[in-house]
Amino acid sequence: MSDMENLPTIARNLSAMSSFSSSLNNAMFHQTLIPERSPAITCCYFHKPIFKVVAQSSQPVKKLGDSRQQQTNPSNIETKKKTNENAFASVVSFVSTLIPTSNMLSNHFNKMASLVNPPLHPSVDPEFVLTGNFAPVNEMPPTECLTVEGELPASLSGAYIRNGPNPQYQPIGPHHLFEGDGMLHSIRLSAGRATFCSRYVKTYKYSLEHNAGVPVIPNYFSGFYGIIDLVRGAIITPAKAISGHISLAKGFGLANTSLAFFFDRLFALVETDLPYAMRLTKEGDIETIGRHDFGDKIFANMTAHPKTDTDTGDVFAFRCFPVFPHLIFFRFDDKGSKQQDVPIFSMKSPTYVHDFAITKRYAIFPDTQLEMDPMKMVICNGMPARSRLAKMPRIGIIPRYATSDSEMRWFEVPGFNAFHITNAWEDEHDCIIIIAPNVLFIENFFNNMDKLHFSVEKLRIDMKTGMVSRTVLSNRNLELGSINPAYAGKQNRFVYMSIGERVPKMSGVVKIDLELECEVSCRAYGPGCFGGEAFFVSKDGNDPNCDEDDGYVVSYVHNEITNESQFVVMDAKSPTLDIVAVVKLPGRVPYGFHGLFLNEKDLKKL
């Protein structure tokens, strides 16, 4: 049968698939299209600028109040755009190489673009997502900064580095806040001076697209919303892999979530890929060493939140899969040798496990109502995740050195969904204490993050009786917190949490006393100012007599009124978290995710 004879049938099939996809999207988003918000916020959130990155000046900046002319003159540079029409044309061109088609069929295929590529939901529409201080910026070489308030303490010597998503090109199709190429923003501190630097993590995906000049790999996490997305993700990319244009073995991770330092290496991590080894130069620049497979001992991916026992030197991690077994626990010994995998067969459903915790004897895993669901992409119904509200959340506790899943114990905790675990330890009564933000309204986790609320809770699990008790430590919306890292896996007293505006856009910091079980300090960044993760840095982590809260809380803070970013240092011991120093940065720092602080001793090991 000829192409012309096939045309009516093909057109009907495409139209039917389009209608099916659209009906699924309507069913999915019918009641949650636009979250309630004030008019002012709505106007800001739905502004639709042309995609731009900021070319940041490497000139020093003046102090606030200086009468001289500002030396920093950031300019806007529009990146190479690829419109949806051109993207669709590329799809048609590629499909024509796979399936013999006539010009008339291609023309009809083009005319149906609006039908097979339906409008995107605001949560994954880049014109909505990448606005304000969520918009990406360009790289910046090491640039000296000026302290505009207070003085940088001499004990704060090293580098604070924070990871976060920063797409290098205008996304083609859907784009979620959690996506975008990883960019590290580092501020090197020494002798009261500060040097700032922003660099991409040069992942395989980044390099592939940087050389091509356009996006090459679809945003799989955002999901598929029409035939165009499905063709790009399920046909074109695999075909390029088969033809040898891209290598599946090199991974497509973004390395945009967190940072970890172990075995004298700095890693940029994301849970969908292997870590990327990084280094900081003496000048404060950031370099990518490469994707690290630990001697070919790890397959495909690992968690973005590995845990290190500072007493034993062991490093614990896991990987999560949409196929069974959904969770695999493993560890490295103090020499860096990977030990055997421990598949967790008792986790029957594909739970999306982002974080876990360790104590002196145990590893702790949350089994939440948030699950992976790749079939949603296949039927063009959005992101490959779902919230299963009928599911009973559980906490799984397994000995750290277990050799099989038979040693895992599960404890039901109704209504408790922990995305991050701030800390956990064992007490003298053979109980496990867990400190974690509980995700309320988890059905909104990906599509309507404005409606999320994180309630910080303290769980007590009696390992003898199986009884679980819970205490709410704060009624605020709190996430992206930290503790003194010397107390990881051990009983600690103080937790520093960020106040959620729209995670990861945070409006201040709260200090919680776990013994008093309440807030004891709070600082708001002020009108129009928002930061990120509240990260604790000890004054002297090597001093055993140093108080747990003797140190600083640091964060990048952005002023949305002046469009300026700062590095803010707060006194962690102060009743009001007093500001110790403010460093004005030479460029904007978009809202991001997790960071860490490396002291001078650690930096010399890189």
Side-chain angles (χ1 to χ4, degrees), residues 348-352 367-373 384-388 391 442 446:
K348 303 296 184 182
S349 58
T351 302
Y352 177 48
D367 184 10
T368 70
Q369 295 171 321
L370 197 63
E371 297 185 346
M372 296 171 280
D373 187 5
R386 66 182 179 229
S387 53
R388 194 153 64 89
K391 175 182 175 181
I442 196 168
F446 292 119

Side-chain angles (χ1 to χ4, degrees), residues 355-359 362-366 395-398 421 424-425 432-434 461:
D355 195 9
F356 77 128
I358 60 167
T359 67
Y362 299 104
I364 300 165
F365 293 92
I395 295 292
I397 300 178
I398 189 171
I421 298 181
W425 67 85
I432 303 293
I433 309 299
I434 301 171
I461 300 177

Side-chain angles (χ1 to χ4, degrees), residues 364-552:
I364 300 165
F365 293 92
D367 184 10
T368 70
Q369 295 171 321
L370 197 63
E371 297 185 346
M372 296 171 280
D373 187 5
M375 281 303 297
K376 293 181 71 174
M377 291 196 304
V378 176
I379 62 175
C380 296
N381 194 19
M383 285 175 280
R386 66 182 179 229
S387 53
R388 194 153 64 89
L389 301 183
K391 175 182 175 181
M392 172 62 73
R394 303 182 299 171
I395 295 292
I397 300 178
I398 189 171
R400 298 196 325 181
Y401 302 105
T403 57
S404 75
D405 178 45
S406 62
E407 299 179 70
M408 172 73 86
R409 293 181 62 187
W410 291 100
F411 301 86
E412 293 185 349
V413 190
F416 186 77
N417 292 287
F419 188 66
H420 289 117
I421 298 181
T422 308
N423 198 24
W425 67 85
E426 305 164 39
D427 69 10
E428 64 276 14
H429 304 295
D430 200 22
C431 293
I432 303 293
I433 309 299
I434 301 171
I435 310 298
N438 178 24
V439 184
L440 306 181
F441 315 114
I442 196 168
E443 64 274 15
N444 297 311
F445 196 89
F446 292 119
N447 291 326
N448 290 285
M449 295 187 67
D450 289 359
K451 293 185 176 181
L452 289 178
H453 189 92
F454 297 86
S455 171
V456 179
E457 298 189 21
K458 180 179 182 180
L459 270 66
R460 183 177 183 272
I461 300 177
D462 191 318
M463 298 295 287
K464 295 178 180 177
T465 66
M467 295 293 293
V468 178
S469 60
R470 296 162 59 179
T471 302
V472 176
L473 300 175
S474 174
N475 289 319
R476 293 182 194 260
N477 183 18
L478 302 177
E479 241 286 2
L480 296 180
S482 68
I483 63 169
N484 185 325
Y487 289 80
K490 306 170 185 176
Q491 182 173 359
N492 72 302
R493 180 171 180 177
F494 300 109
V495 172
Y496 300 89
M497 302 297 299
S498 297
I499 304 171
E501 174 75 13
R502 176 185 173 229
V503 178
K505 176 180 174 180
M506 318 303 278
S507 62
V509 182
V510 164
K511 179 181 180 180
I512 296 176
D513 187 322
L514 300 179
E515 290 184 8
L516 300 178
E517 297 184 342
C518 66
E519 296 179 13
V520 291
S521 302
C522 177
R523 170 162 291 277
Y525 293 131
C529 296
F530 303 94
E533 180 181 57
F535 195 85
F536 178 89
V537 182
S538 177
K539 279 187 180 179
D540 188 354
N542 298 319
D543 182 1
N545 299 316
C546 184
D547 290 340
E548 179 188 337
D549 61 344
D550 194 6
Y552 310 100

Side-chain angles (χ1 to χ4, degrees), residues 133-148:
N133 197 42
F134 288 99
V137 296
N138 226 350
E139 289 188 319
M140 173 173 285
T143 306
E144 190 167 348
C145 313
L146 293 179
T147 302
V148 296

Side-chain angles (χ1 to χ4, degrees), residues 545-562:
N545 299 316
C546 184
D547 290 340
E548 179 188 337
D549 61 344
D550 194 6
Y552 310 100
V553 178
V554 302
S555 182
Y556 290 130
V557 177
H558 182 72
N559 188 321
E560 295 190 343
I561 300 173
T562 63

